[in-house]
Amino acid sequence: MQDISKPLRSKSYSVPCELCSIGSICIPMALNNTLESVLNRKRSFAKNEILVTEGDEFQRFYIIHSGALKTYVIINGTEQINGFYLPGDIIGLDSITTHKYNNTIKALTTTLACELKYDELMALVTKSTQVRDTIFNLMSQNILNYQKMILAYSQKNAEEKLAAFICWLYTQYAKRGHTSLSIKLSMCRADIANYLGLTIETVSRILTRTQELGILSVRGKYICIKDLSALFQLAAEKI
Amino acid sequence: MQDISKPLRSKSYSVPCELCSIGSICIPMALNNTLESVLNRKRSFAKNEILVTEGDEFQRFYIIHSGALKTYVIINGTEQINGFYLPGDIIGLDSITTHKYNNTIKALTTTLACELKYDELMALVTKSTQVRDTIFNLMSQNILNYQKMILAYSQKNAEEKLAAFICWLYTQYAKRGHTSLSIKLSMCRADIANYLGLTIETVSRILTRTQELGILSVRGKYICIKDLSALFQLAAEKI
DNA sequence: CGTGCTGTTGAACACATTCAACCAGGGTGG
DNA sequence: CCACCCTGGTTGAATGTGTTCAACAGCACG
């Protein structure tokens, strides 16, 4: 595994296995040599490649090693983005209950992802309390995150939503060890607007306004956070 | 258990144990006589009684038998409602990861709730694959629900949000066997507005407007759905 | 009968959208 | 090589949705 991940870590945002969302179970599994059966080798996906389509039979989770994915559904013929996923994130927890994928998953950039078979993970949950606790912890964290997001996105106005979004990006990378204040957006303005329930014009306007306030520096897909605490304050969150 | 639940079912919205969110594991446990150790007796809470406060140590889930609860956090001195919980719902899944309650839980009306100890549930997860699968299914369903809610509440305008909220109420009751089109709101307008990120004035105006359209009939806390499919259409959801 | 609480209604205002024009960069073809 | 177009992004003016502030109605309670 290291032979694949090592050269990539310098290239772009990626997570070493220890910082992955399932890291704490993956590493022990590697030591026990049961890894190969449960966590398949990393697979590479090209930009705009579709990993799975809404309605496909659910078999495996995807855990992002590097790159970025988005998930969306088609409502009334238009794409509605459900979420963005960054290195260390796991996709598919919502599919346990439906036995099929509820969203289409698409690569925003070239992406490396680990595949984790559901059945085999479940078998491990029963065998190892460590795996059990890790998975429950992961799902609980997911639920907590969604709660916070609902709170955020139902209460906040456009400016606060966008600030919260950039805070979220920063926090996601920071959680996995990338504390840089310079962020390269892997999604276009239209995707951000779609996800936040805004228009691209509003997103654009707010980005320039926030830049004028000296909080951000925006150039195309590159965003530099000039005043992190002001950004978090704008998002109405505590750091 | 039945001695408690039976007389209540006629009185108001309540769920028989078979329709509870954990029903499928609860019933077998009752048969195995392990029930008493895991699922404590129902506890009654008065209107406005606080079950737990944000930050309290997490020990048990609450599963609503009858009545209604709300969860909220205090942000900048003001209450921010996180969610409403109805008969059959389980509260506390977000606390597994934090080991403490992330919200304050308060009874909206007189409420009967079952208490389910976390530690003892986990022990059962390892012992019984049926319990394991039920709990994973429950958590996955939770995650899926939140995904849909985020989509809903970030994309929809005020009218659609409120329609979606009433649809959600209807669906929640319907899932547990109460398909009546007459719904008694257990929360006040201020709570609805707070939760949906609107003002009470807007909620009020939209309710009367929707009534004028012949979709709803509103009188105080009593709502009667006159045209279910129109309501779902307004909420931009499929039935 | 007044007081307080919950909910409704009205008018002025603010924020976000819509529609439109415009700009910058990348690729293609003459 | 430059004109051309196409895509992604920014900016401006008019419109509309939802908020704010205020008054008021209905109802329970002392």
Side-chain angles (χ1 to χ4, degrees), chain B residues 178-213:
Chain B
H178 295 91
T179 50
S180 165
L181 290 172
S182 296
I183 295 175
K184 179 181 187 297
L185 300 175
S186 39
M187 66 294 286
C188 63
R189 301 280 190 278
D191 279 353
I192 298 175
N194 179 316
Y195 176 61
L196 296 177
L198 303 170
T199 59
I200 48 174
E201 293 94 331
T202 305
V203 170
S204 183
R205 271 185 256 270
I206 290 170
L207 280 179
T208 51
R209 206 195 307 160
T210 316
Q211 187 172 226
E212 282 161 8
L213 289 171

PDB file of all heavy atoms in Angstrom, chain B residues 178-213:
ATOM      1  N   HIS B 178     -50.075   5.517  11.776  1.00  0.00           N
ATOM      2  CA  HIS B 178     -51.137   6.521  11.926  1.00  0.00           C
ATOM      3  C   HIS B 178     -51.282   7.306  10.627  1.00  0.00           C
ATOM      4  O   HIS B 178     -50.570   8.276  10.404  1.00  0.00           O
ATOM      5  CB  HIS B 178     -50.817   7.491  13.062  1.00  0.00           C
ATOM      6  CG  HIS B 178     -50.798   6.840  14.396  1.00  0.00           C
ATOM      7  ND1 HIS B 178     -49.650   6.303  14.932  1.00  0.00           N
ATOM      8  CD2 HIS B 178     -51.776   6.598  15.297  1.00  0.00           C
ATOM      9  CE1 HIS B 178     -49.923   5.782  16.122  1.00  0.00           C
ATOM     10  NE2 HIS B 178     -51.206   5.944  16.368  1.00  0.00           N
ATOM     11  N   THR B 179     -52.194   6.888   9.787  1.00  0.00           N
ATOM     12  CA  THR B 179     -52.297   7.496   8.462  1.00  0.00           C
ATOM     13  C   THR B 179     -53.325   8.618   8.409  1.00  0.00           C
ATOM     14  O   THR B 179     -53.723   9.053   7.337  1.00  0.00           O
ATOM     15  CB  THR B 179     -52.653   6.428   7.412  1.00  0.00           C
ATOM     16  OG1 THR B 179     -53.773   5.703   7.898  1.00  0.00           O
ATOM     17  CG2 THR B 179     -51.501   5.501   7.172  1.00  0.00           C
ATOM     18  N   SER B 180     -53.753   9.070   9.563  1.00  0.00           N
ATOM     19  CA  SER B 180     -54.745  10.142   9.589  1.00  0.00           C
ATOM     20  C   SER B 180     -54.215  11.412   8.922  1.00  0.00           C
ATOM     21  O   SER B 180     -53.038  11.738   9.019  1.00  0.00           O
ATOM     22  CB  SER B 180     -55.136  10.451  11.032  1.00  0.00           C
ATOM     23  OG  SER B 180     -55.815  11.680  11.086  1.00  0.00           O
ATOM     24  N   LEU B 181     -55.100  12.118   8.225  1.00  0.00           N
ATOM     25  CA  LEU B 181     -54.718  13.370   7.569  1.00  0.00           C
ATOM     26  C   LEU B 181     -54.836  14.552   8.533  1.00  0.00           C
ATOM     27  O   LEU B 181     -54.447  15.665   8.195  1.00  0.00           O
ATOM     28  CB  LEU B 181     -55.588  13.606   6.329  1.00  0.00           C
ATOM     29  CG  LEU B 181     -55.314  12.640   5.172  1.00  0.00           C
ATOM     30  CD1 LEU B 181     -56.342  12.810   4.063  1.00  0.00           C
ATOM     31  CD2 LEU B 181     -53.901  12.847   4.625  1.00  0.00           C
ATOM     32  N   SER B 182     -55.396  14.307   9.700  1.00  0.00           N
ATOM     33  CA  SER B 182     -55.474  15.336  10.731  1.00  0.00           C
ATOM     34  C   SER B 182     -54.274  15.203  11.659  1.00  0.00           C
ATOM     35  O   SER B 182     -54.049  14.145  12.226  1.00  0.00           O
ATOM     36  CB  SER B 182     -56.758  15.211  11.536  1.00  0.00           C
ATOM     37  OG  SER B 182     -57.861  15.434  10.687  1.00  0.00           O
ATOM     38  N   ILE B 183     -53.525  16.263  11.771  1.00  0.00           N
ATOM     39  CA  ILE B 183     -52.318  16.219  12.591  1.00  0.00           C
ATOM     40  C   ILE B 183     -52.408  17.306  13.654  1.00  0.00           C
ATOM     41  O   ILE B 183     -52.764  18.444  13.353  1.00  0.00           O
ATOM     42  CB  ILE B 183     -51.066  16.452  11.719  1.00  0.00           C
ATOM     43  CG1 ILE B 183     -50.899  15.309  10.728  1.00  0.00           C
ATOM     44  CG2 ILE B 183     -49.826  16.607  12.585  1.00  0.00           C
ATOM     45  CD1 ILE B 183     -49.765  15.524   9.749  1.00  0.00           C
ATOM     46  N   LYS B 184     -52.086  16.932  14.870  1.00  0.00           N
ATOM     47  CA  LYS B 184     -51.984  17.939  15.916  1.00  0.00           C
ATOM     48  C   LYS B 184     -50.514  18.275  16.093  1.00  0.00           C
ATOM     49  O   LYS B 184     -49.702  17.412  16.423  1.00  0.00           O
ATOM     50  CB  LYS B 184     -52.555  17.429  17.237  1.00  0.00           C
ATOM     51  CG  LYS B 184     -52.438  18.476  18.349  1.00  0.00           C
ATOM     52  CD  LYS B 184     -52.988  17.974  19.665  1.00  0.00           C
ATOM     53  CE  LYS B 184     -53.030  19.086  20.707  1.00  0.00           C
ATOM     54  NZ  LYS B 184     -51.708  19.615  21.068  1.00  0.00           N
ATOM     55  N   LEU B 185     -50.166  19.524  15.838  1.00  0.00           N
ATOM     56  CA  LEU B 185     -48.786  19.949  16.009  1.00  0.00           C
ATOM     57  C   LEU B 185     -48.457  19.962  17.495  1.00  0.00           C
ATOM     58  O   LEU B 185     -49.202  20.526  18.295  1.00  0.00           O
ATOM     59  CB  LEU B 185     -48.578  21.359  15.442  1.00  0.00           C
ATOM     60  CG  LEU B 185     -48.863  21.557  13.952  1.00  0.00           C
ATOM     61  CD1 LEU B 185     -48.722  23.011  13.575  1.00  0.00           C
ATOM     62  CD2 LEU B 185     -47.924  20.701  13.121  1.00  0.00           C
ATOM     63  N   SER B 186     -47.332  19.322  17.830  1.00  0.00           N
ATOM     64  CA  SER B 186     -46.944  19.330  19.234  1.00  0.00           C
ATOM     65  C   SER B 186     -46.022  20.506  19.534  1.00  0.00           C
ATOM     66  O   SER B 186     -45.693  20.761  20.680  1.00  0.00           O
ATOM     67  CB  SER B 186     -46.272  18.005  19.592  1.00  0.00           C
ATOM     68  OG  SER B 186     -45.456  17.566  18.535  1.00  0.00           O
ATOM     69  N   MET B 187     -45.617  21.219  18.499  1.00  0.00           N
ATOM     70  CA  MET B 187     -44.719  22.350  18.704  1.00  0.00           C
ATOM     71  C   MET B 187     -45.417  23.651  18.277  1.00  0.00           C
ATOM     72  O   MET B 187     -46.340  23.640  17.463  1.00  0.00           O
ATOM     73  CB  MET B 187     -43.421  22.166  17.925  1.00  0.00           C
ATOM     74  CG  MET B 187     -43.536  22.184  16.403  1.00  0.00           C
ATOM     75  SD  MET B 187     -44.462  20.799  15.677  1.00  0.00           S
ATOM     76  CE  MET B 187     -43.289  19.456  15.860  1.00  0.00           C
ATOM     77  N   CYS B 188     -44.989  24.753  18.850  1.00  0.00           N
ATOM     78  CA  CYS B 188     -45.593  26.047  18.531  1.00  0.00           C
ATOM     79  C   CYS B 188     -44.968  26.616  17.249  1.00  0.00           C
ATOM     80  O   CYS B 188     -43.968  26.108  16.746  1.00  0.00           O
ATOM     81  CB  CYS B 188     -45.409  27.023  19.691  1.00  0.00           C
ATOM     82  SG  CYS B 188     -43.694  27.401  20.034  1.00  0.00           S
ATOM     83  N   ARG B 189     -45.575  27.678  16.735  1.00  0.00           N
ATOM     84  CA  ARG B 189     -45.086  28.310  15.503  1.00  0.00           C
ATOM     85  C   ARG B 189     -43.624  28.751  15.628  1.00  0.00           C
ATOM     86  O   ARG B 189     -42.841  28.624  14.703  1.00  0.00           O
ATOM     87  CB  ARG B 189     -45.938  29.522  15.156  1.00  0.00           C
ATOM     88  CG  ARG B 189     -47.401  29.231  14.945  1.00  0.00           C
ATOM     89  CD  ARG B 189     -47.652  28.680  13.576  1.00  0.00           C
ATOM     90  NE  ARG B 189     -49.080  28.607  13.271  1.00  0.00           N
ATOM     91  CZ  ARG B 189     -49.883  27.633  13.662  1.00  0.00           C
ATOM     92  NH1 ARG B 189     -49.420  26.630  14.378  1.00  0.00           N
ATOM     93  NH2 ARG B 189     -51.166  27.639  13.325  1.00  0.00           N
ATOM     94  N   ALA B 190     -43.304  29.275  16.811  1.00  0.00           N
ATOM     95  CA  ALA B 190     -41.937  29.761  17.030  1.00  0.00           C
ATOM     96  C   ALA B 190     -40.929  28.625  16.856  1.00  0.00           C
ATOM     97  O   ALA B 190     -39.859  28.822  16.268  1.00  0.00           O
ATOM     98  CB  ALA B 190     -41.816  30.386  18.419  1.00  0.00           C
ATOM     99  N   ASP B 191     -41.290  27.435  17.347  1.00  0.00           N
ATOM    100  CA  ASP B 191     -40.399  26.281  17.211  1.00  0.00           C
ATOM    101  C   ASP B 191     -40.242  25.877  15.750  1.00  0.00           C
ATOM    102  O   ASP B 191     -39.144  25.560  15.293  1.00  0.00           O
ATOM    103  CB  ASP B 191     -40.941  25.099  18.029  1.00  0.00           C
ATOM    104  CG  ASP B 191     -40.574  25.222  19.508  1.00  0.00           C
ATOM    105  OD1 ASP B 191     -39.800  26.124  19.856  1.00  0.00           O
ATOM    106  OD2 ASP B 191     -41.080  24.409  20.303  1.00  0.00           O
ATOM    107  N   ILE B 192     -41.356  25.863  15.030  1.00  0.00           N
ATOM    108  CA  ILE B 192     -41.297  25.507  13.607  1.00  0.00           C
ATOM    109  C   ILE B 192     -40.419  26.500  12.856  1.00  0.00           C
ATOM    110  O   ILE B 192     -39.538  26.126  12.085  1.00  0.00           O
ATOM    111  CB  ILE B 192     -42.710  25.488  12.986  1.00  0.00           C
ATOM    112  CG1 ILE B 192     -43.585  24.436  13.665  1.00  0.00           C
ATOM    113  CG2 ILE B 192     -42.635  25.224  11.486  1.00  0.00           C
ATOM    114  CD1 ILE B 192     -45.029  24.444  13.197  1.00  0.00           C
ATOM    115  N   ALA B 193     -40.677  27.778  13.104  1.00  0.00           N
ATOM    116  CA  ALA B 193     -39.917  28.838  12.441  1.00  0.00           C
ATOM    117  C   ALA B 193     -38.431  28.702  12.757  1.00  0.00           C
ATOM    118  O   ALA B 193     -37.587  28.721  11.860  1.00  0.00           O
ATOM    119  CB  ALA B 193     -40.431  30.199  12.876  1.00  0.00           C
ATOM    120  N   ASN B 194     -38.128  28.538  14.016  1.00  0.00           N
ATOM    121  CA  ASN B 194     -36.750  28.379  14.460  1.00  0.00           C
ATOM    122  C   ASN B 194     -36.088  27.213  13.731  1.00  0.00           C
ATOM    123  O   ASN B 194     -35.008  27.345  13.166  1.00  0.00           O
ATOM    124  CB  ASN B 194     -36.760  28.145  15.976  1.00  0.00           C
ATOM    125  CG  ASN B 194     -35.382  27.942  16.560  1.00  0.00           C
ATOM    126  OD1 ASN B 194     -34.554  27.228  16.007  1.00  0.00           O
ATOM    127  ND2 ASN B 194     -35.120  28.580  17.693  1.00  0.00           N
ATOM    128  N   TYR B 195     -36.768  26.082  13.718  1.00  0.00           N
ATOM    129  CA  TYR B 195     -36.216  24.878  13.101  1.00  0.00           C
ATOM    130  C   TYR B 195     -35.989  25.056  11.606  1.00  0.00           C
ATOM    131  O   TYR B 195     -34.968  24.629  11.065  1.00  0.00           O
ATOM    132  CB  TYR B 195     -37.178  23.719  13.352  1.00  0.00           C
ATOM    133  CG  TYR B 195     -36.777  22.433  12.695  1.00  0.00           C
ATOM    134  CD1 TYR B 195     -35.579  21.808  13.010  1.00  0.00           C
ATOM    135  CD2 TYR B 195     -37.617  21.823  11.765  1.00  0.00           C
ATOM    136  CE1 TYR B 195     -35.230  20.621  12.410  1.00  0.00           C
ATOM    137  CE2 TYR B 195     -37.265  20.632  11.172  1.00  0.00           C
ATOM    138  CZ  TYR B 195     -36.073  20.033  11.497  1.00  0.00           C
ATOM    139  OH  TYR B 195     -35.719  18.860  10.896  1.00  0.00           O
ATOM    140  N   LEU B 196     -36.949  25.697  10.932  1.00  0.00           N
ATOM    141  CA  LEU B 196     -36.859  25.831   9.477  1.00  0.00           C
ATOM    142  C   LEU B 196     -36.026  27.040   9.039  1.00  0.00           C
ATOM    143  O   LEU B 196     -35.823  27.256   7.847  1.00  0.00           O
ATOM    144  CB  LEU B 196     -38.262  25.941   8.868  1.00  0.00           C
ATOM    145  CG  LEU B 196     -39.182  24.739   9.028  1.00  0.00           C
ATOM    146  CD1 LEU B 196     -40.544  25.026   8.431  1.00  0.00           C
ATOM    147  CD2 LEU B 196     -38.567  23.513   8.360  1.00  0.00           C
ATOM    148  N   GLY B 197     -35.561  27.813  10.010  1.00  0.00           N
ATOM    149  CA  GLY B 197     -34.777  28.995   9.655  1.00  0.00           C
ATOM    150  C   GLY B 197     -35.636  30.094   9.060  1.00  0.00           C
ATOM    151  O   GLY B 197     -35.199  30.842   8.191  1.00  0.00           O
ATOM    152  N   LEU B 198     -36.872  30.203   9.525  1.00  0.00           N
ATOM    153  CA  LEU B 198     -37.787  31.247   9.054  1.00  0.00           C
ATOM    154  C   LEU B 198     -38.221  32.086  10.246  1.00  0.00           C
ATOM    155  O   LEU B 198     -37.791  31.857  11.368  1.00  0.00           O
ATOM    156  CB  LEU B 198     -39.013  30.611   8.388  1.00  0.00           C
ATOM    157  CG  LEU B 198     -38.752  29.673   7.215  1.00  0.00           C
ATOM    158  CD1 LEU B 198     -40.022  28.945   6.815  1.00  0.00           C
ATOM    159  CD2 LEU B 198     -38.186  30.443   6.036  1.00  0.00           C
ATOM    160  N   THR B 199     -39.096  33.054   9.997  1.00  0.00           N
ATOM    161  CA  THR B 199     -39.673  33.817  11.097  1.00  0.00           C
ATOM    162  C   THR B 199     -41.087  33.296  11.342  1.00  0.00           C
ATOM    163  O   THR B 199     -41.695  32.697  10.448  1.00  0.00           O
ATOM    164  CB  THR B 199     -39.738  35.312  10.766  1.00  0.00           C
ATOM    165  OG1 THR B 199     -40.521  35.475   9.592  1.00  0.00           O
ATOM    166  CG2 THR B 199     -38.362  35.880  10.556  1.00  0.00           C
ATOM    167  N   ILE B 200     -41.606  33.552  12.541  1.00  0.00           N
ATOM    168  CA  ILE B 200     -42.956  33.079  12.837  1.00  0.00           C
ATOM    169  C   ILE B 200     -43.961  33.738  11.909  1.00  0.00           C
ATOM    170  O   ILE B 200     -44.943  33.129  11.509  1.00  0.00           O
ATOM    171  CB  ILE B 200     -43.347  33.329  14.315  1.00  0.00           C
ATOM    172  CG1 ILE B 200     -43.026  34.765  14.723  1.00  0.00           C
ATOM    173  CG2 ILE B 200     -42.650  32.363  15.222  1.00  0.00           C
ATOM    174  CD1 ILE B 200     -43.517  35.107  16.123  1.00  0.00           C
ATOM    175  N   GLU B 201     -43.722  34.975  11.535  1.00  0.00           N
ATOM    176  CA  GLU B 201     -44.634  35.672  10.625  1.00  0.00           C
ATOM    177  C   GLU B 201     -44.735  34.946   9.292  1.00  0.00           C
ATOM    178  O   GLU B 201     -45.837  34.729   8.776  1.00  0.00           O
ATOM    179  CB  GLU B 201     -44.161  37.112  10.389  1.00  0.00           C
ATOM    180  CG  GLU B 201     -44.236  38.017  11.597  1.00  0.00           C
ATOM    181  CD  GLU B 201     -42.938  38.056  12.351  1.00  0.00           C
ATOM    182  OE1 GLU B 201     -42.193  37.050  12.311  1.00  0.00           O
ATOM    183  OE2 GLU B 201     -42.648  39.086  12.984  1.00  0.00           O
ATOM    184  N   THR B 202     -43.583  34.565   8.763  1.00  0.00           N
ATOM    185  CA  THR B 202     -43.569  33.855   7.480  1.00  0.00           C
ATOM    186  C   THR B 202     -44.312  32.525   7.595  1.00  0.00           C
ATOM    187  O   THR B 202     -45.109  32.181   6.718  1.00  0.00           O
ATOM    188  CB  THR B 202     -42.124  33.605   7.020  1.00  0.00           C
ATOM    189  OG1 THR B 202     -41.448  34.859   6.989  1.00  0.00           O
ATOM    190  CG2 THR B 202     -42.077  32.995   5.650  1.00  0.00           C
ATOM    191  N   VAL B 203     -44.061  31.799   8.660  1.00  0.00           N
ATOM    192  CA  VAL B 203     -44.741  30.525   8.868  1.00  0.00           C
ATOM    193  C   VAL B 203     -46.245  30.749   8.882  1.00  0.00           C
ATOM    194  O   VAL B 203     -47.009  30.058   8.201  1.00  0.00           O
ATOM    195  CB  VAL B 203     -44.279  29.868  10.189  1.00  0.00           C
ATOM    196  CG1 VAL B 203     -45.159  28.679  10.539  1.00  0.00           C
ATOM    197  CG2 VAL B 203     -42.832  29.430  10.088  1.00  0.00           C
ATOM    198  N   SER B 204     -46.651  31.739   9.631  1.00  0.00           N
ATOM    199  CA  SER B 204     -48.073  32.048   9.739  1.00  0.00           C
ATOM    200  C   SER B 204     -48.670  32.387   8.376  1.00  0.00           C
ATOM    201  O   SER B 204     -49.706  31.849   7.978  1.00  0.00           O
ATOM    202  CB  SER B 204     -48.248  33.214  10.706  1.00  0.00           C
ATOM    203  OG  SER B 204     -49.603  33.492  10.894  1.00  0.00           O
ATOM    204  N   ARG B 205     -48.019  33.296   7.677  1.00  0.00           N
ATOM    205  CA  ARG B 205     -48.501  33.716   6.355  1.00  0.00           C
ATOM    206  C   ARG B 205     -48.617  32.537   5.395  1.00  0.00           C
ATOM    207  O   ARG B 205     -49.635  32.392   4.694  1.00  0.00           O
ATOM    208  CB  ARG B 205     -47.533  34.749   5.771  1.00  0.00           C
ATOM    209  CG  ARG B 205     -47.852  36.167   6.132  1.00  0.00           C
ATOM    210  CD  ARG B 205     -46.910  37.111   5.409  1.00  0.00           C
ATOM    211  NE  ARG B 205     -45.893  37.617   6.299  1.00  0.00           N
ATOM    212  CZ  ARG B 205     -46.025  38.732   7.028  1.00  0.00           C
ATOM    213  NH1 ARG B 205     -47.139  39.428   6.975  1.00  0.00           N
ATOM    214  NH2 ARG B 205     -45.057  39.152   7.815  1.00  0.00           N
ATOM    215  N   ILE B 206     -47.607  31.701   5.361  1.00  0.00           N
ATOM    216  CA  ILE B 206     -47.610  30.585   4.418  1.00  0.00           C
ATOM    217  C   ILE B 206     -48.701  29.580   4.773  1.00  0.00           C
ATOM    218  O   ILE B 206     -49.362  29.033   3.880  1.00  0.00           O
ATOM    219  CB  ILE B 206     -46.221  29.911   4.381  1.00  0.00           C
ATOM    220  CG1 ILE B 206     -45.225  30.855   3.711  1.00  0.00           C
ATOM    221  CG2 ILE B 206     -46.281  28.591   3.627  1.00  0.00           C
ATOM    222  CD1 ILE B 206     -43.800  30.408   3.819  1.00  0.00           C
ATOM    223  N   LEU B 207     -48.918  29.378   6.080  1.00  0.00           N
ATOM    224  CA  LEU B 207     -49.977  28.453   6.481  1.00  0.00           C
ATOM    225  C   LEU B 207     -51.333  28.952   5.991  1.00  0.00           C
ATOM    226  O   LEU B 207     -52.136  28.178   5.459  1.00  0.00           O
ATOM    227  CB  LEU B 207     -49.983  28.281   7.999  1.00  0.00           C
ATOM    228  CG  LEU B 207     -48.940  27.311   8.557  1.00  0.00           C
ATOM    229  CD1 LEU B 207     -49.026  27.239  10.074  1.00  0.00           C
ATOM    230  CD2 LEU B 207     -49.104  25.922   7.955  1.00  0.00           C
ATOM    231  N   THR B 208     -51.590  30.248   6.143  1.00  0.00           N
ATOM    232  CA  THR B 208     -52.879  30.771   5.674  1.00  0.00           C
ATOM    233  C   THR B 208     -52.957  30.717   4.149  1.00  0.00           C
ATOM    234  O   THR B 208     -54.001  30.397   3.585  1.00  0.00           O
ATOM    235  CB  THR B 208     -53.093  32.219   6.149  1.00  0.00           C
ATOM    236  OG1 THR B 208     -51.954  32.998   5.821  1.00  0.00           O
ATOM    237  CG2 THR B 208     -53.329  32.273   7.643  1.00  0.00           C
ATOM    238  N   ARG B 209     -51.837  31.013   3.483  1.00  0.00           N
ATOM    239  CA  ARG B 209     -51.823  30.960   2.017  1.00  0.00           C
ATOM    240  C   ARG B 209     -52.106  29.544   1.526  1.00  0.00           C
ATOM    241  O   ARG B 209     -52.900  29.340   0.598  1.00  0.00           O
ATOM    242  CB  ARG B 209     -50.458  31.434   1.492  1.00  0.00           C
ATOM    243  CG  ARG B 209     -50.518  32.016   0.084  1.00  0.00           C
ATOM    244  CD  ARG B 209     -49.136  32.133  -0.535  1.00  0.00           C
ATOM    245  NE  ARG B 209     -48.193  32.854   0.325  1.00  0.00           N
ATOM    246  CZ  ARG B 209     -46.871  32.765   0.219  1.00  0.00           C
ATOM    247  NH1 ARG B 209     -46.332  31.963  -0.694  1.00  0.00           N
ATOM    248  NH2 ARG B 209     -46.075  33.453   1.020  1.00  0.00           N
ATOM    249  N   THR B 210     -51.451  28.568   2.174  1.00  0.00           N
ATOM    250  CA  THR B 210     -51.647  27.180   1.788  1.00  0.00           C
ATOM    251  C   THR B 210     -53.088  26.744   2.059  1.00  0.00           C
ATOM    252  O   THR B 210     -53.648  25.925   1.339  1.00  0.00           O
ATOM    253  CB  THR B 210     -50.676  26.268   2.557  1.00  0.00           C
ATOM    254  OG1 THR B 210     -49.379  26.865   2.568  1.00  0.00           O
ATOM    255  CG2 THR B 210     -50.580  24.900   1.912  1.00  0.00           C
ATOM    256  N   GLN B 211     -53.662  27.330   3.109  1.00  0.00           N
ATOM    257  CA  GLN B 211     -55.060  27.051   3.420  1.00  0.00           C
ATOM    258  C   GLN B 211     -55.970  27.609   2.335  1.00  0.00           C
ATOM    259  O   GLN B 211     -56.917  26.951   1.894  1.00  0.00           O
ATOM    260  CB  GLN B 211     -55.404  27.676   4.776  1.00  0.00           C
ATOM    261  CG  GLN B 211     -56.787  27.316   5.270  1.00  0.00           C
ATOM    262  CD  GLN B 211     -57.009  27.790   6.693  1.00  0.00           C
ATOM    263  OE1 GLN B 211     -57.503  27.065   7.523  1.00  0.00           O
ATOM    264  NE2 GLN B 211     -56.618  29.032   6.974  1.00  0.00           N
ATOM    265  N   GLU B 212     -55.650  28.839   1.882  1.00  0.00           N
ATOM    266  CA  GLU B 212     -56.445  29.474   0.832  1.00  0.00           C
ATOM    267  C   GLU B 212     -56.384  28.684  -0.471  1.00  0.00           C
ATOM    268  O   GLU B 212     -57.316  28.710  -1.270  1.00  0.00           O
ATOM    269  CB  GLU B 212     -55.962  30.919   0.604  1.00  0.00           C
ATOM    270  CG  GLU B 212     -56.454  31.896   1.672  1.00  0.00           C
ATOM    271  CD  GLU B 212     -55.630  33.176   1.713  1.00  0.00           C
ATOM    272  OE1 GLU B 212     -54.777  33.372   0.823  1.00  0.00           O
ATOM    273  OE2 GLU B 212     -55.837  33.977   2.641  1.00  0.00           O
ATOM    274  N   LEU B 213     -55.268  27.975  -0.673  1.00  0.00           N
ATOM    275  CA  LEU B 213     -55.126  27.141  -1.870  1.00  0.00           C
ATOM    276  C   LEU B 213     -55.927  25.846  -1.748  1.00  0.00           C
ATOM    277  O   LEU B 213     -55.994  25.069  -2.680  1.00  0.00           O
ATOM    278  CB  LEU B 213     -53.642  26.804  -2.113  1.00  0.00           C
ATOM    279  CG  LEU B 213     -52.750  27.950  -2.586  1.00  0.00           C
ATOM    280  CD1 LEU B 213     -51.283  27.521  -2.565  1.00  0.00           C
ATOM    281  CD2 LEU B 213     -53.142  28.415  -3.975  1.00  0.00           C
TER     282      LEU B 213
END
